Amino acid sequence: MTAKQDATLRRTVLEKMYLARAFEDCISALAAEQGRLPGMQILATGQEAAAAAALALGKDDVMVTNHRSHVHLLARGADPKTLLAEIMGKESGVNHGKSGTLHLIVPEVNALMTSTVVGASPLLALGAAFAQQYKETNALTMVFFGDGAAAEGSVHEAMNMAGVWKLPLLFVCENNCWAGAQSFKEHCSAGNIASRASSYGMPGELVNGNDPDDVLNTALELASMCRDGRGPALMELTTYRMHGHGEYDKQHYVDPAEIEFWAERDPIVMFSSRLEQEGVLGEGQAEAMRREAADKVAEALKFADESPYPAPEAALEHVWASPEHI
Amino acid sequence: MREVHTGVAIREALTLAMEMDDRVFLAGEGIGVSIHDNPLMPTYGLLETFGRRRVKDTPVSEAAIAGLAVGASTMGLLPVVEIMFFPFITLASDMLVNHAGKLRYLSGGKSSFPLTVRVKAGMFGAGCQHSHNLEAWLAHAPGLKLAFPSCPADAKGLLLSAIFDPDPVIIVEDMGLYWMQGPAPEGDVRVPLGKAAVKRPGADATVVGYGRAVLAALEAASELEAEGVSVEVIDLRSLVPLDRETILESLSRTGRLVTVHDATKFCGFGAELAAIAAEEGFASLKAPVVRVAGPDIPVPFSPPLQEFYMPNAQKIAAAVRSIL
Ligand SMILES: Cc1ncc(C[n+]2csc(CCOP(=O)(O)OP(=O)(O)O)c2C)c(N)n1
Ligand SMILES: [Mg+2]
């Protein structure tokens, strides 16, 4: 099956992209209000086509993600209510206020591990993929990491070992052109990440990361290879972080023309009009999807706002499985 | 004396060292071009001043940053490298613990590793993978010196000493201090490694801490003064080497010791201080040593939970009261 043939899946991709955009627009607006949100806010605005990769997964597949995770988690089916409550540090948050935005973990949707330690997620995914192979399941693990993360030794170790053991592990590198204030050219010695795949004996695909069809088709194809026992694969999504590193980042080091260039390639604008042109979406359907996403986020915000903070002593919970040890 | 922000004082040390000695270079993630366009950040503007030869923005590669420092230092350079946040020291730890701290010894004293690692630390609402003070790990590794300043003058003076020290030195910068002002001398005024400072004299109890916790201890001391309790506050400034004399001398007068740090309690640096009091100051002790520290949990994200975690003046004052 290719995505082109599957109209339902493509509509779901767009739906999730709208949801992620609305969710992050809400966070962005809250972050602009003094004292409204604790900590830092790291958004994936502009990178929503990555939702298509997450949607290539089946229910039993595992996802591992990083500090810029909202798109991945929402696409996977995480509840925006408990995600937003977590980001606000509320008791009802998906991780009871222990995590905040940087390491949202949603086992309910098989997003079992998240790390804000750059380059750590591929190592975690290695273990998950090993377990899948060991248990002879038909499932795979998909791991998201950034272009900057690819400079960590951990990523090389994960790729090599996964290659040697032919683990069902799909590496998804979101190359958003920047790692903090360092441009891709400055921090990477090669022209792309995907070409590294051959060094580890796996297929590597360079994908237009702002085109959900490209992302979905490649992800489906590579995922089925992983499932067939042919070992790991790597896909690199070329995309752009429209809001800078975090909401506090004024991007003083970025050429405004570069931001404009990518603004004209907004994946949501492009994909919604493509689906309309192809008749996959009828008149007014895209707009209805956008409104539905906005409603879900408004509901999430109400839920998060009305939720209480955890009691201070709750800090002591969840360190151990056996609480008597603390 | 003029007042400067700690971040600026650190930059003065870096600037002076680079002006004085071409062997000094800087490397780290975003130390040249940073997402923080803020003149209070220590490395702000240094790329413009010293150029790309001496101010090196690196890829996100902590092991390589630390390895760079080890290798370049034994070649005669004086590297000053930055680890962006304390928990990421774990990624650099092989180069620091197994190499920077051991290669001189392994060489029978023939090789030297005069490197400096600046580590940014603090609890700032980012959760436990950004906030985790691991100074006790580092202090436990032979061959590494370790400093943890609490004010602009020490941040500057200790860094200058570290850069020109013949051994590897790790210096922890509490980021909250960057935005705080205090007196600091101009020019090349160094603070020796291994020398504590008595921040406030007192007679009834000794509170020993380092970094941000010293400010909380001073606040607690003022609070207790109003109750007629006289507290001596010692700022260790260096953890390795450790100024035992200053601690023991103070203890011999007050007979009571409270230790304080933001790191967790179990096997924290306070345990070493308590052991020193027990081994070497036993005769002076009038009461048990009390350790004020974070509970043995990862630093939580949610504001009330982080608040619960943090040692503060009230907790320190309560600890002192408990042994009067
Ligand atoms: C080990 C480690 N080093 C440094 C950081 C600080 N940091 C957070 S995000 C980031 C940039 C990562 O870039 P990339 O992997 O491209 O992901 P992006 O932020 O662009 O999504 C850095 C350096 C970190 N979180 N972990
Ligand atoms: Mg990036």
Side-chain angles (χ1 to χ4, degrees), chain A residues 67-68 116-118 146-149 152 176 178-180 245, chain B residues 29 60 62 84 88 91 130:
Chain A
H67 57 286
R68 206 178 292 281
T116 189
V117 180
V118 165
D147 51 299
E152 293 280 9
N176 59 11
W178 291 93
H245 181 68
Chain B
E29 296 160 15
V60 192
E62 290 75 13
M84 190 184 277
F88 312 151
L91 297 162
H130 279 70

Side-chain angles (χ1 to χ4, degrees), chain A residues 18-36:
Chain A
Y18 274 126
L19 179 60
R21 179 68 61 88
F23 187 78
E24 294 200 324
D25 281 352
C26 170
I27 293 173
S28 183
L30 296 175
E33 288 175 44
Q34 193 68 24
R36 189 74 163 81

Side-chain angles (χ1 to χ4, degrees), chain B residues 229-265:
Chain B
V229 180
S230 162
V231 173
E232 180 145 308
V233 176
I234 294 177
D235 179 355
L236 286 180
R237 307 199 288 192
S238 296
L239 279 63
V240 182
L242 179 65
D243 183 355
R244 302 164 123 79
E245 291 71 31
T246 299
I247 302 166
L248 290 167
E249 189 282 321
S250 176
L251 185 59
S252 74
R253 285 182 285 104
T254 64
R256 296 180 182 87
L257 178 64
V258 172
T259 70
V260 54
H261 51 61
D262 290 347
T264 48
K265 184 173 180 179

Side-chain angles (χ1 to χ4, degrees), chain B:
Chain B
M1 204 185 291
R2 57 145 199 174
E3 300 230 325
V4 288
H5 288 93
T6 308
V8 174
I10 294 168
R11 183 161 66 247
E12 283 185 6
L14 296 171
T15 304
L16 272 168
M18 291 180 84
E19 282 170 356
M20 286 190 287
D21 197 327
D22 187 62
R23 294 176 300 165
V24 180
F25 74 94
L26 314 182
E29 296 160 15
I31 61 155
V33 183
S34 165
I35 53 176
H36 305 286
D37 191 25
N38 187 336
L40 297 184
M41 294 298 277
T43 54
Y44 178 86
L46 293 179
L47 176 61
E48 287 70 23
T49 308
F50 293 101
R52 292 170 70 99
R53 174 174 166 264
R54 300 184 71 192
V55 179
K56 313 294 288 180
D57 271 323
T58 68
V60 192
S61 305
E62 290 75 13
I65 291 168
L68 177 80
V70 176
S73 67
T74 207
M75 292 291 289
L77 300 187
L78 298 175
V80 184
V81 300
E82 180 184 297
I83 296 295
M84 190 184 277
F85 298 122
F86 211 157
F88 312 151
I89 197 99
T90 57
L91 297 162
S93 61
D94 171 54
M95 280 295 132
L96 299 178
V97 173
N98 288 321
H99 297 89
K102 291 177 182 168
L103 288 180
R104 177 185 182 78
Y105 189 74
L106 285 169
S107 75
K110 291 180 180 172
S111 304
S112 287
F113 300 89
L115 62 93
T116 303
V117 184
R118 296 176 40 246
V119 185
K120 285 149 66 183
M123 318 289 166
F124 52 105
C128 60
Q129 288 183 340
H130 279 70
S131 299
H132 191 171
N133 284 5
L134 290 165
E135 66 272 14
W137 279 29
L138 299 170
H140 195 59
L144 300 175
K145 293 180 179 173
L146 180 60
F148 205 140
S150 75
C151 63
D154 290 349
K156 176 179 175 179
L158 286 166
L159 181 53
L160 278 163
S161 292
I163 294 172
F164 295 105
D165 192 273
D167 287 314
V169 184
I170 298 169
I171 180 157
V172 184
E173 297 171 2
D174 241 324
M175 287 182 290
L177 301 176
Y178 289 170
W179 333 120
M180 290 183 196
Q181 273 184 299
E186 292 182 61
D188 182 10
V189 180
R190 301 185 191 183
V191 172
L193 294 164
K195 195 84 199 74
V198 177
K199 284 282 184 178
R200 176 189 172 114
D204 300 326
T206 303
V207 178
V208 179
Y210 48 86
R212 186 208 67 89
V214 172
L215 306 184
L218 288 169
E219 210 185 305
S222 309
E223 198 178 311
L224 288 162
E225 184 180 35
E227 299 167 22
V229 180
S230 162
V231 173
E232 180 145 308
V233 176
I234 294 177
D235 179 355
L236 286 180
R237 307 199 288 192
S238 296
L239 279 63
V240 182
L242 179 65
D243 183 355
R244 302 164 123 79
E245 291 71 31
T246 299
I247 302 166
L248 290 167
E249 189 282 321
S250 176
L251 185 59
S252 74
R253 285 182 285 104
T254 64
R256 296 180 182 87
L257 178 64
V258 172
T259 70
V260 54
H261 51 61
D262 290 347
T264 48
K265 184 173 180 179
F266 188 79
C267 285
F269 199 75
E272 184 62 31
L273 298 171
I276 288 169
E279 282 182 346
E280 302 169 42
F282 190 71
S284 311
L285 284 171
K286 296 178 194 158
V289 177
V290 182
R291 291 176 287 158
V292 178
D296 295 314
I297 59 174
V299 175
F301 161 74
S302 178
L305 303 186
Q306 187 183 293
E307 181 68 25
F308 176 85
Y309 175 94
M310 290 297 283
N312 58 24
Q314 290 69 46
K315 294 175 192 175
I316 298 167
V320 172
R321 281 186 207 106
S322 77
I323 52 168
L324 286 175

